[in-house]
Amino acid sequence: MTTLLLRVDSARAEQWRQSMQDLLPELNCRLWTDVTPPDCSAELAAVWSPPAGGLAKLKRLKAVFSIGAGVDHVLKDPDYPQTVPLFKTIAPELSQRMVEYVLLHTLRYHRRLPELAAQQARGEWQILLSPLAHERTVGVLGLGHLGVQVAFALRDFGFNVQAWSRSQKQHKGIECFAGAQQLKAFLANCEILICLLPLTPNTRTILNAELFAALPQGAYIINVARGEHLVEEDLLLALEQNLAGATLDVFVTEPLPSKHPFWQHPNITITPHIASMIDPLVGSPVLAGNIRRFLANEPLSELRVDVHRGY
Ligand code: OXD
């Protein structure tokens, strides 16, 4: 019997195992935890942030499934067995969560909710107007699967949407910029900037002082990609200069340490990496479907990751 190893967050490990076992009765679904070493005869692994060197011990491994749209948590392992195919997990029901999260926080900034909340705390009645959505420019950094869905949702809502990606893309109703040479031109009008880039050596620390300085006065940042995209000290300084606020769902260290200055910052909103969380209920049917397709030798090209490129 083929063994599927599951390396998932400890709080929901048994729930994941049980639902995957129910969906894939033909497989032997086993957990790999900090206290249960991996079954080295496993042919398949579905993982979130496996410990370095762990996957390399699985000598019969045929495929690895990232329990996430991102794969940096797998490829940060220098011993990742490069010849084993790696697949990401994407599906409309999973993008929906990201779209909801980004729309929520974009609208919050667009309709000036932080300023209204501050007025309420002061017991102050003062009308604060917002421009109409089409007069508001929202920028999306990254046009991968999630970036595209988010950009379309913002466009369809009526915002003036621009997007930036490494290579040139074209999407109806979205002004697309590409490459390092067009980054500044893209940033110049972004009143709300959303980071949805994959984490690679080229994008690590991209949210830095130079990028912030290129944004208009009063701009907002929403980072739903990875904590390592952001230079934390640069954000704190930029919030004293031209930035008005930031919403952060991801951090270099997760959980965010209790003494971290972001917690108490009046203009930073923190959420615990939940923007597009893949939970067992919604995620396991998607993952099980992908594993079945792999076992049936169906092409999974839209999910296959280029391990050298990193996405
Ligand atoms: C993901 C995530 O990569 O939730 O899907 O961060």
Side-chain angles (χ1 to χ4, degrees):
M1 200 182 222
T2 301
T3 295
L4 166 67
L5 265 189
L6 293 162
R7 171 87 195 180
V8 287
D9 73 291
S10 53
R12 292 166 307 154
E14 185 45 34
Q15 196 190 347
W16 265 111
R17 198 203 60 78
Q18 193 58 60
S19 56
M20 292 301 287
Q21 190 64 79
D22 291 347
L23 290 160
L24 297 166
E26 68 277 31
L27 300 186
N28 173 24
C29 297
R30 306 199 52 179
L31 285 178
W32 166 16
T33 68
D34 288 340
V35 287
T36 321
D39 173 346
C40 287
S41 65
E43 292 92 344
L44 302 169
V47 297
W48 176 265
S49 208
L55 291 167
K57 289 193 192 129
L58 314 178
K59 298 294 180 211
R60 298 176 61 192
L61 202 54
K62 292 202 186 88
V64 176
F65 293 82
S66 156
I67 306 181
V71 291
D72 51 289
H73 61 98
V74 181
L75 295 178
K76 70 177 193 264
D77 176 357
D79 298 324
Y80 180 81
Q82 306 273 319
T83 52
V84 176
L86 173 62
F87 299 98
K88 59 189 169 188
T89 301
I90 51 173
E93 53 273 48
L94 302 175
S95 326
Q96 176 63 23
R97 284 205 167 126
M98 181 59 88
V99 167
E100 287 170 7
Y101 184 99
V102 172
L103 270 181
L104 169 71
H105 292 281
T106 302
L107 282 169
R108 195 172 130 250
Y109 288 141
H110 170 60
R111 293 303 301 261
R112 307 177 67 177
L113 219 57
E115 291 163 84
L116 291 163
Q119 283 191 177
Q120 178 176 348
R122 296 193 297 270
E124 194 178 308
W125 181 282
Q126 200 200 317
I127 289 167
L128 296 181
L129 290 177
S130 306
L132 294 172
H134 74 267
E135 294 164 332
R136 177 78 78 192
T137 300
V138 182
V140 180
L141 274 173
L143 277 174
H145 176 77
L146 289 174
V148 164
Q149 303 303 317
V150 163
F152 287 174
L154 291 164
R155 174 201 65 189
D156 295 347
F157 198 86
F159 287 108
N160 179 38
V161 180
Q162 324 184 131
W164 180 88
S165 52
R166 205 173 67 109
S167 55
Q168 189 66 53
K169 306 267 164 66
Q170 278 189 334
H171 292 291
K172 191 163 172 262
I174 296 172
E175 192 182 356
C176 293
F177 295 75
Q181 66 291 355
Q182 288 184 14
L183 184 58
K184 283 237 164 80
F186 160 76
L187 295 168
N189 296 317
C190 290
E191 296 169 272
I192 301 172
L193 178 71
I194 297 144
C195 179
L196 267 160
L197 287 164
L199 183 67
T200 68
N202 289 331
T203 64
R204 190 175 292 271
T205 71
I206 189 167
L207 300 177
N208 59 29
E210 199 185 335
L211 176 142
F212 297 144
L215 289 168
Q217 187 66 34
Y220 290 96
I221 304 285
I222 300 176
N223 187 18
V224 278
R226 288 291 181 255
E228 290 86 346
H229 285 121
L230 175 68
V231 182
E232 297 186 339
E233 317 81 69
D234 288 5
L235 175 65
L236 290 170
L237 280 176
L239 286 168
E240 290 169 21
Q241 293 158 4
N242 62 327
L243 290 196
T247 291
L248 307 174
D249 184 53
V250 287
F251 303 89
V252 174
T253 308
E254 295 181 5
L256 186 64
S258 58
K259 298 251 161 26
H260 198 287
F262 285 175
W263 282 114
Q264 303 306 330
H265 198 291
N267 299 329
I268 295 182
T269 299
I270 290 170
T271 54
H273 200 149
I274 41 89
S276 94
M277 172 126 231
I278 302 188
D279 64 313
L281 203 65
V282 182
S284 52
V286 175
L287 194 56
N290 292 345
I291 292 173
R292 273 242 161 77
R293 285 172 62 200
F294 174 79
L295 291 172
N297 286 324
E298 280 179 38
L300 286 176
S301 46
E302 80 284 11
L303 306 178
R304 180 87 186 253
V305 171
D306 178 335
V307 293
H308 300 290
R309 206 175 55 164
Y311 59 96

